[in-house]
Amino acid sequence: MAVVGCGDGPRYHSTRSARLIHFTLHSRLAHRDLHEILVVPPRHGRWLLVLLHGYHASPSQFLTQPFFDTLAALRTRAPEVLLLDGGADSYWHDRADGRWASMLLREAIPAGVARTPARRVAIGGISMGGYGALLLGSRHPFCAVGAQSPALWSSAGQTAPGAFDDAQDYARNDVFRLRPPHPVWIDLGASDPFRTATLAYARRAGVRAHIRAGGHDAALWDAFTPQFLRFFAHDCA
């Protein structure tokens, strides 16, 4: 199954007074400079939401009008949001070209926390980033974990070229072998190409996947954004 490309670029007309702070992380673990964005709403709580972008996207994938509108509506329950750079196709795990998961935990999140008053950290993502959030959330404590249209495969033989280095890499990072995080949010489109594996994962996690008409695209993620962000606020704010 091929990975459906994820749309990218900011799609908003107002940040609702949220500030966008761009900074570069010189990563020793990923062997490159990574370009991160910290979103600071005018009013927010003492918690940080880390969001992981999709395949061939960038941190700005999350900068949409529903995103800014929902942060404003949450008022003091809103998070500061750290939008991380995972390269084009890292799939957010330690692999031959870089220790992407280790980078996130040991470099990127500490760099974000150091810039905020956050006391709790949540993690979420879209597609490739949804897989990464489930993987990291299964191995490390977060106050909540969320995945939008996660790129999941039930076996190494079904994966898209480049998603993993080889079958051994898939086995080391197989979310179906790990204890699912809790609390966890999962959403997807009714015609999502990852539907079968995602619903199997949701059953294993003991949660109801949220499904709308649609595919694996920005329109679907925009539609879910208010619920997605409110889910995190419920458990972390």
Side-chain angles (χ1 to χ4, degrees), residues 93-118:
H93 66 276
D94 290 354
R95 54 189 308 174
D97 76 340
R99 298 175 61 192
W100 293 94
S102 297
M103 172 278 295
L104 191 153
L105 294 167
R106 293 166 55 184
E107 296 176 332
I109 292 179
V113 169
R115 289 169 165 81
T116 74

Side-chain angles (χ1 to χ4, degrees), residues 85-218:
D85 181 355
D89 54 3
S90 69
Y91 282 82
W92 301 100
H93 66 276
D94 290 354
R95 54 189 308 174
D97 76 340
R99 298 175 61 192
W100 293 94
S102 297
M103 172 278 295
L104 191 153
L105 294 167
R106 293 166 55 184
E107 296 176 332
I109 292 179
V113 169
R115 289 169 165 81
T116 74
R119 294 178 176 174
R120 293 172 299 282
V121 178
I123 192 168
I126 288 173
S127 189
M128 176 181 88
Y131 160 77
L134 295 176
L135 178 69
L136 273 294
S138 294
R139 289 176 166 165
H140 302 276
F142 292 94
C143 59
V145 176
Q148 295 199 271
S149 307
L152 299 181
W153 297 273
S154 56
S155 71
Q158 296 178 337
T159 61
F164 298 90
D165 295 337
D166 50 34
Q168 290 72 35
D169 184 37
Y170 172 86
R172 286 191 298 270
N173 298 283
D174 180 2
V175 293
F176 287 94
R177 294 185 178 184
L178 299 172
R179 181 187 297 274
H182 181 80
V184 62
W185 166 280
I186 298 171
D187 69 50
L188 70 156
S191 57
D192 192 290
F194 301 104
R195 176 188 171 103
T196 299
T198 298
L199 292 181
Y201 183 88
R203 287 192 295 270
R204 187 172 184 278
V207 299
R208 178 178 64 87
H210 301 266
I211 303 174
R212 289 178 182 261
H216 194 86
D217 54 61

Side-chain angles (χ1 to χ4, degrees), residues 209-229:
H210 301 266
I211 303 174
R212 289 178 182 261
H216 194 86
D217 54 61
L220 180 92
W221 304 322
D222 287 353
F224 271 121
T225 290
Q227 290 173 272
F228 185 61
L229 294 179

Side-chain angles (χ1 to χ4, degrees), residues 31-118:
H31 315 301
R32 67 199 72 196
D33 287 350
L34 300 171
H35 304 288
E36 327 286 31
I37 304 172
L38 180 66
V39 181
V40 184
R43 305 176 71 183
H44 57 79
R46 298 173 67 87
W47 64 288
L48 180 69
L49 173 58
V50 177
L51 292 179
L52 312 179
H53 65 74
Y55 176 77
H56 277 255
S58 75
S60 64
Q61 178 178 35
F62 294 95
L63 302 180
T64 67
Q65 200 57 52
F67 171 81
F68 289 116
D69 289 346
T70 306
L71 290 181
L74 285 170
R75 302 169 65 113
T76 57
R77 298 177 65 240
E80 292 183 77
V81 185
L82 181 61
L83 308 179
L84 294 183
D85 181 355
D89 54 3
S90 69
Y91 282 82
W92 301 100
H93 66 276
D94 290 354
R95 54 189 308 174
D97 76 340
R99 298 175 61 192
W100 293 94
S102 297
M103 172 278 295
L104 191 153
L105 294 167
R106 293 166 55 184
E107 296 176 332
I109 292 179
V113 169
R115 289 169 165 81
T116 74

